[in-house]
Amino acid sequence: MVEVLVTGGAGFIGSQFVRSALAHEDWRVTTLDKLTYAGRLENLREVLDHPRHRFVRGDVCDPELVGPLVQGAEIVVHFAAETHVDRSIQAAGDFIRTDVYGTFVLLEAARTAPRLRRFVQISTDEVYGSVPEGASRETDELRPRNPYAASKAGADRLAYSYWATYGVPVIVTRASNNYGPRQFPEKLIPLFVTNAMDGLPVPLYGDGLNVRDWLHVEDHCRALELLIERGTAGEVYNIGGGNLVPNAELTRRILSLVDRPESLIQRVPDRPGHDRRYCLDTSKLRSLGWKPAVPFEAGLAATVNWYRTNEWWWRPIKEGDPAFRSYYERQYGGR
Ligand code: NAD
Ligand code: TYD
């Protein structure tokens, strides 16, 4: 059996990865997750009782817990992070702690893990900073511009340094904006879909012309599986969907899919330091045989449909969780 440790596996992308990992009949998966506000056991409900899956609740910053888990692993896929840019602008401490220090704790354990053959550091295209034109290549300078992006850049380079210095078999992946089922309703797509479903305004930042490159979460996980087998240690790989869409256009598409009027669009003051555009050159990954399989139009429609048919998943967060309501008030109340 191949022992796989997935951190942050109760989150949006991690839970998709755990499901696809379990399709490998010779993989045994341990999910380590703290279950922060963004981590939810519901995301793993189909696999919680799976005979080759074990869930461990805990913090990646805890060396006593992390040590033995990493020691037993052949593959580590490290998703666990604080992930929302707006929250990092409100308060950055948890981002530094989990995204940077937590990565350090895992890497330290990885140095002495006897069977480890792959440590995948899940980074992000945000480490490149805003890209006014052209496409970021893996060798480009990193210019992160918000606390989330900077903490991810720190972890990205720390992971690389553990390969260069200690020979830990690190691969760094930098994915673009993911979308799909089970994304926490603070991010643009799920927030706007669920607000629109309820006839509430959708708060579009600034002039709405910021561009993101959308990647379906299943395409992301397929790329990770390929890189686990065929990537080269010490290398960085961009993973981008190639779907560059300005936020205002995406918002109109969402409203049309939910069958709501464009008058729900509420222009609100811009996010401070808002990166204008991200765009990835993915030729390095494509040369290994990957290309995205989910067309954006179909993927977006299916995602909207998922939120429509899974209100049980998001209503308790948006309506029942006082922490979400106070976050929403802090973030949008004064706008
Ligand atoms: P998410 O916020 O949905 O999930 C994060 C998970 O990490 C949650 O389950 C949470 O409980 C867990 N976690 C947080 N702090 C922890 C800690 N200290 N110890 C253990 N677990 C902890 O995030 P996501 O969107 O699934 O992102 C996963 C990874 O992918 C992150 O590293 C993120 O930076 C990266 N990424 C995300 C995107 C995107 O568009 N969502 C794009 C590129 C890269
Ligand atoms: P988001 O989903 O937060 O992802 P990221 O900041 O990691 O790219 O935001 C996607 C884009 O949508 C980004 O340009 C900011 C914008 N946005 C809004 O206009 N309004 C919102 O309420 C949110 C959450 C995001």
Side-chain angles (χ1 to χ4, degrees), residues 53-326:
H53 181 238
R54 155 171 85 129
F55 179 80
V56 177
R57 184 172 191 180
D59 191 333
V60 291
C61 300
D62 175 357
E64 305 293 315
L65 175 66
V66 162
L69 294 176
V70 174
Q71 290 295 313
E74 235 173 281
I75 298 169
V76 174
V77 190
H78 175 35
F79 294 95
E82 290 293 334
T83 62
H84 192 39
V85 172
D86 289 319
R87 288 186 193 254
S88 82
I89 293 168
Q90 288 182 8
D94 286 347
F95 290 74
I96 309 305
R97 183 179 175 279
T98 291
D99 302 12
V100 184
Y101 187 77
T103 302
F104 158 73
V105 170
L106 283 156
L107 288 164
E108 272 295 297
R111 279 175 62 179
T112 54
R115 293 193 293 146
L116 190 69
R117 64 178 169 90
R118 186 67 80 221
F119 184 110
V120 184
Q121 173 61 25
I122 306 291
S123 188
T124 162
D125 63 354
E126 302 207 15
V127 299
Y128 294 115
S130 198
V131 188
E133 55 192 31
S136 304
R137 304 195 59 148
E138 288 84 351
T139 46
D140 285 357
E141 195 178 326
L142 305 189
R143 298 177 188 205
R145 287 163 31 89
N146 60 63
Y148 162 68
S151 67
K152 292 296 291 186
D156 174 317
R157 291 299 80 196
L158 191 66
Y160 176 79
S161 80
Y162 271 63
W163 173 76
T165 309
Y166 306 112
V168 176
V170 168
I171 275 185
V172 175
T173 62
R174 298 182 184 144
S176 62
N177 282 65
N178 279 224
Y179 73 102
R182 302 177 192 83
Q183 186 169 29
F184 195 81
E186 63 191 354
K187 307 282 189 341
L188 183 143
I189 290 180
L191 177 66
F192 284 17
V193 171
T194 56
N195 274 17
M197 280 174 63
D198 284 346
L200 298 171
V202 296
L204 186 62
Y205 296 158
D207 63 7
L209 296 180
N210 300 63
V211 171
R212 295 294 182 265
D213 171 0
W214 293 96
L215 169 70
H216 195 275
V217 65
E218 288 171 12
D219 281 330
H220 185 181
C221 291
R222 272 192 283 273
L224 296 174
E225 287 173 71
L226 175 76
L227 289 171
I228 285 168
E229 296 309 333
R230 302 204 30 215
T232 303
E235 293 291 318
V236 178
Y237 296 88
N238 288 340
I239 310 175
N243 302 298
L244 270 68
V245 189
N247 292 338
E249 187 191 324
L250 175 59
T251 305
R252 285 193 292 273
R253 287 200 209 180
I254 290 171
L255 290 171
S256 152
L257 285 164
V258 184
D259 204 14
R260 294 288 181 187
E262 288 183 16
S263 57
L264 283 186
I265 297 176
Q266 184 173 27
R267 301 274 179 176
V268 299
D270 210 351
R271 169 188 283 174
H274 193 177
D275 286 341
R276 192 63 167 168
R277 176 177 176 273
Y278 300 132
C279 177
L280 290 176
D281 179 324
T282 55
S283 45
K284 187 169 173 182
L285 174 63
R286 283 171 185 257
S287 72
L288 294 180
W290 176 89
K291 61 178 190 317
V294 184
F296 187 55
E297 221 175 284
L300 185 63
T303 301
V304 168
N305 204 34
W306 189 86
Y307 284 94
R308 278 182 131 154
T309 50
N310 289 281
E311 292 193 29
W312 68 270
W313 186 92
W314 59 266
R315 275 211 189 277
I317 301 171
K318 288 190 79 175
E319 288 170 10
D321 181 356
F324 184 82
R325 279 212 298 279
S326 76

